Amino acid sequence: MTNRSPLVFMSLVCALLNMCQAQGVHDDKPNIVLIMADDLGIGDLGCYGNDTIRTPHIDHLAREGVQLTQHLSAASLCSPSRSAFLTGRYPIRSGMVSSGNNTRVVKSLAAPSGLPPNETTFAALLKKQGYSTALIGKWHQGLNCDSRSDHCHHPYNYGFDYYYGMPFTLADGCWPAPSRDMELAFESRLWLCVQLVAIAVLTLTFGKLSGWVSVPWLLIFSMILFIFLLGYAWLSSFTTRLYWDCLLMREHEITEQPMKAERAGSIMVKEAISFLERHREGPFLLFFSFLHVHVPLPTTDDFIGTSKHGLYGDNVEEMDSMVGKILDAIDEFGLRNNTLVYFTSDHGGHLEARRGHAQLGGWNGIYKGGKGMGGWEGGIRVPGIVRWPGKVPAGQLIKEATSLMDILPTLASVSGGSPPQDRVIDGRDLMPLLQGNITHSEHEFLFHYCGSYLHAVRWIPKDDSGAVWKVHYVTPIFQPPSSGACYVTLLCGCFGELVTYHNPPLLFDLSRDPTESTPLTPDTEPLHDFVIEKVAGALKKHQESIVPVIHQLGELNHDRIWLTPCCGVFPFCLCDKEGEEIATIRSCCLPVVTNTDDHLLPPKKSGAHDLRG
């Protein structure tokens, strides 16, 4: 027994050392929460200068972390910007671009276009590092390729372990949908009718072939024709995106078709909190991708009419309260000190989003342009906030140029991994800049595209001059002229008659002229010709690094009816599994009310603004 004691003791010591080592490895890997708003203008937040829209939770997050004031998206529209965010690469490299003026995003869920499966996302990198990964919210990187259920572009194929959200994007038809409940009820009865007729056809056909019944074949064929005509009539009656693109999925299952847009945000927040609770031991990656604040701005009744900026302001304030709820959950689960939180928007606000005289799009502060404009600052300069207690100094402003593409190499760095070595990664690790180890951005040149067309180049010299040179080769033609936006076409074009080609190009120094109001000339800027020549050389080198690939938003970006997602048997696709679940919970958990005396009714929530109750 005495001979075995040292062995037992040594085994216990080794076990303890292994546990400590494992805990140490875990401690080095922070939990990561990425929050992305949709179409939010940089001027819509209090921490970026807005004093009329209330965003207290995001403002507080900025005070607790680092605020990036020259944070840039790689594109001014959803699909290409998000692909660059996920991969750390310009959209032109992955093919998430279009050579046309019309459809520069994934057109619909019936189109086979999407992020190529050979692209590596930050989720895939972190999954290799032992992270549990989830995407909750908007995807807009495609869904199907060959059939309506192959899900070749599903988030699961890009490193995410769990998905709940909207695989497409909000569109005008998604909200309000006053006839939705009636159509759901009618379709369930219509589908029952079709099933009964189909059973009758099968029964009569079997009986006819067996000699048990004597019915004319014409009757059987007429019943089959009736089923097809009924299906075609039902399909033809649904011509808007509401029925085919405005849907929610949990993992691979469609849960709402069409979705009830005003409640979607609240359900997504609950999903996010549930994920945080399930994976509180970490490490985890949660990418929370808001539907807010994209038109048509579905907003709950608790927030409608509460802001000074109409429906858009209401939607922004509701989004802020949801951010607060997620941040509160991080605190409640004891995750604050080991969780890196990042907040941004996919691109600038949509200036042309209007209904009558009401503005339904965001405000881009002092910056010219907005959504859809590849070069002007208003379309690509976005909020950027990073909080990581004890690792990133609180209350710091960084004016250096940074990019949404920087997130992939940054997450690779903090998780102990490394970016892919077999391709060009355009992002840079932000940690040295965030922690003050360096004072200048690691980006010397940034290239600003509109679809597949390069519109502008930014040069940040590696000196202490403070200059931020911006060279515009192409700019959109505003409609009407001098209006600052494209109100006739509703989105500015990228090439052809919708743009102006500049030769010589326009030159601005954003450090002196952030509004891009007065182009510099050789007479007003001694370095004019030198800067133009320097940028031209960098552009040539950049273009030589581009490997031609298929443009996903070109020929592939057209509807194929057989790719249309369906909750049931096509075309009878309407369903509301979320509503059924909510109704079941209410019927199980709420007390039965037998009269309408006030003292017997469930208490009403107090306060219109607090979603955390």
Side-chain angles (χ1 to χ4, degrees):
M1 190 74 175
T2 54
N3 292 334
R4 297 172 63 183
S5 297
L7 293 175
V8 173
F9 176 75
M10 290 300 296
S11 298
L12 290 172
V13 170
C14 290
L16 288 171
L17 287 173
N18 287 335
M19 289 175 61
C20 292
Q21 185 178 11
Q23 183 65 37
V25 170
H26 171 74
D27 288 342
D28 289 340
K29 297 181 185 293
N31 303 311
I32 297 163
V33 176
L34 311 177
I35 304 174
M36 176 176 279
D38 195 1
D39 285 18
L40 180 73
I42 192 171
D44 290 326
L45 301 176
C47 53
Y48 283 90
N50 193 304
D51 58 3
T52 55
I53 296 180
R54 294 166 294 186
T55 55
H57 301 100
I58 298 173
D59 298 346
H60 186 68
L61 181 69
R63 289 193 296 271
E64 292 184 330
V66 171
Q67 188 174 339
L68 306 171
T69 62
Q70 195 184 165
H71 200 43
L72 304 162
S73 63
S76 59
L77 286 175
C78 303
S79 295
S81 171
R82 290 164 181 267
S83 72
F85 175 67
L86 288 162
T87 65
R89 288 154 51 84
Y90 286 110
I92 191 72
R93 298 194 192 278
S94 63
M96 289 297 285
V97 294
S98 166
S99 296
N101 272 326
N102 296 323
T103 310
R104 289 147 52 194
V105 298
V106 173
K107 181 181 180 181
S108 77
L109 293 179
S113 55
L115 184 64
N118 63 346
E119 289 293 326
T120 301
T121 70
F122 52 67
L125 291 180
L126 266 62
K127 189 171 182 178
K128 289 182 179 179
Q129 296 299 313
Y131 277 70
S132 300
T133 59
L135 166 61
I136 295 174
K138 173 176 172 173
W139 175 235
H140 209 191
Q141 298 294 302
L143 186 59
N144 297 318
C145 290
D146 299 313
S147 71
R148 64 171 47 93
S149 59
D150 67 22
H151 294 175
C152 65
H153 295 303
H154 191 281
Y156 280 10
N157 295 324
Y158 302 92
F160 291 101
D161 298 323
Y162 181 72
Y163 174 63
Y164 177 83
M166 187 178 189
F168 192 56
T169 183
L170 285 174
D172 285 336
C174 293
W175 184 79
S179 60
R180 172 184 178 275
D181 294 338
M182 180 186 70
E183 287 157 351
L184 282 167
F186 180 73
E187 193 216 39
S188 65
R189 289 163 176 77
L190 184 64
W191 175 233
L192 177 62
C193 174
V194 169
Q195 289 176 299
L196 292 174
V197 175
I199 292 171
V201 167
L202 292 173
T203 303
L204 291 174
T205 301
F206 182 76
K208 176 81 171 176
L209 294 175
S210 303
W212 295 344
V213 293
S214 178
V215 294
W217 283 110
L218 180 62
L219 174 62
I220 295 175
F221 289 137
S222 297
M223 294 172 71
I224 295 174
L225 180 62
F226 173 73
I227 292 175
F228 279 102
L229 290 175
L230 201 61
Y232 179 76
W234 181 251
L235 174 64
S236 301
S237 66
F238 298 120
T239 57
T240 72
R241 282 184 168 179
L242 170 66
Y243 305 99
W244 310 116
D245 289 327
C246 304
L247 55 87
L248 293 177
M249 295 181 71
R250 177 178 282 106
E251 298 182 316
H252 284 287
E253 180 187 22
I254 298 174
T255 59
E256 282 190 61
Q257 187 176 9
M259 61 193 273
K260 198 164 187 176
E262 67 271 18
R263 78 180 178 197
S266 298
I267 296 174
M268 289 174 188
V269 170
K270 292 177 182 176
E271 288 281 340
I273 293 173
S274 176
F275 176 82
L276 293 174
E277 186 170 21
R278 293 196 308 271
H279 299 279
R280 61 200 301 176
E281 297 302 320
F284 62 76
L285 162 71
L286 170 61
F287 176 21
F288 190 88
S289 179
F290 268 108
L291 302 182
H292 295 62
V293 289
H294 195 293
V295 290
L297 306 173
T299 308
T300 61
D301 290 344
D302 284 345
F303 281 86
I304 289 181
T306 60
S307 78
K308 298 178 181 179
H309 287 276
L311 184 60
Y312 181 81
D314 300 343
N315 203 243
V316 172
E317 293 188 4
E318 182 175 54
M319 177 202 68
D320 177 78
S321 72
M322 292 177 174
V323 171
K325 194 168 186 180
I326 294 171
L327 296 177
D328 284 351
I330 291 172
D331 290 348
E332 181 183 342
F333 299 143
L335 302 172
R336 167 189 279 261
N337 290 335
N338 194 40
T339 300
L340 186 157
V341 179
Y342 167 77
F343 177 88
T344 192
S345 176
D346 55 355
H347 50 71
H350 192 183
L351 302 180
E352 296 90 350
R354 307 179 76 176
R355 185 173 297 128
H357 296 288
Q359 180 66 29
L360 301 181
W363 182 50
N364 299 314
I366 65 172
Y367 303 108
K368 179 182 289 188
K371 177 179 179 177
M373 304 183 205
W376 295 123
E377 285 293 286
I380 56 176
R381 193 178 286 227
V382 294
I385 300 170
V386 181
R387 185 188 76 180
W388 188 6
K391 301 289 186 178
V392 172
Q396 184 179 6
L397 286 179
I398 293 181
K399 299 180 180 180
E400 293 292 308
T402 56
S403 170
L404 266 65
M405 296 185 293
D406 297 338
I407 298 307
L408 181 140
T410 302
L411 297 190
S413 171
V414 301
S415 66
S418 60
Q421 303 299 309
D422 61 344
R423 64 200 65 192
V424 176
I425 298 297
D426 299 297
R428 300 291 182 266
D429 180 7
L430 284 175
M431 289 311 298
L433 186 64
L434 295 175
Q435 295 181 324
N437 297 327
I438 61 174
T439 56
H440 292 299
S441 169
E442 294 195 49
H443 291 286
E444 185 175 7
F445 295 95
L446 284 164
F447 304 91
H448 306 305
Y449 284 86
C450 185
S452 61
Y453 302 94
L454 186 128
H455 276 204
V457 179
R458 179 184 310 250
W459 176 32
I460 310 99
K462 298 292 186 179
D463 56 32
D464 294 322
S465 66
V468 180
W469 303 107
K470 182 98 167 281
V471 176
H472 287 265
Y473 297 94
V474 185
T475 56
I477 297 174
F478 294 142
Q479 317 137 14
S482 303
S483 64
C486 300
Y487 293 105
V488 175
T489 56
L490 300 183
L491 206 63
C492 290
C494 294
F495 76 104
E497 297 179 352
L498 298 178
V499 302
T500 300
Y501 297 91
H502 300 283
N503 188 16
L506 304 180
L507 174 64
F508 300 92
D509 179 2
L510 299 181
S511 68
R512 292 177 283 168
D513 183 14
T515 60
E516 298 174 285
S517 301
T518 308
L520 299 171
T521 68
D523 294 332
T524 60
E525 175 52 61
L527 295 176
H528 179 277
D529 293 345
F530 170 75
V531 172
I532 296 295
E533 183 179 348
K534 179 77 172 179
V535 169
L539 174 57
K540 183 176 184 294
K541 184 177 179 181
H542 166 73
Q543 290 174 329
E544 290 172 350
S545 75
I546 304 296
V547 177
V549 294
I550 295 173
H551 286 183
Q552 294 288 321
L553 307 182
E555 291 301 318
L556 289 174
N557 206 22
H558 295 286
D559 289 356
R560 277 78 156 164
I561 192 170
W562 60 90
L563 298 184
T564 305
C566 185
C567 191
V569 177
F570 190 82
F572 302 99
C573 303
L574 277 60
C575 67
D576 184 8
K577 298 174 185 177
E578 295 292 349
E580 293 169 4
E581 182 178 340
I582 292 171
T584 301
I585 293 172
R586 286 176 175 171
S587 64
C588 292
C589 303
L590 290 181
V592 177
V593 179
T594 56
N595 61 58
T596 57
D597 291 343
D598 287 344
H599 68 282
L600 294 178
L601 290 174
K604 296 181 179 179
K605 291 182 180 179
S606 61
H609 302 286
D610 191 1
L611 285 184
R612 291 172 287 170

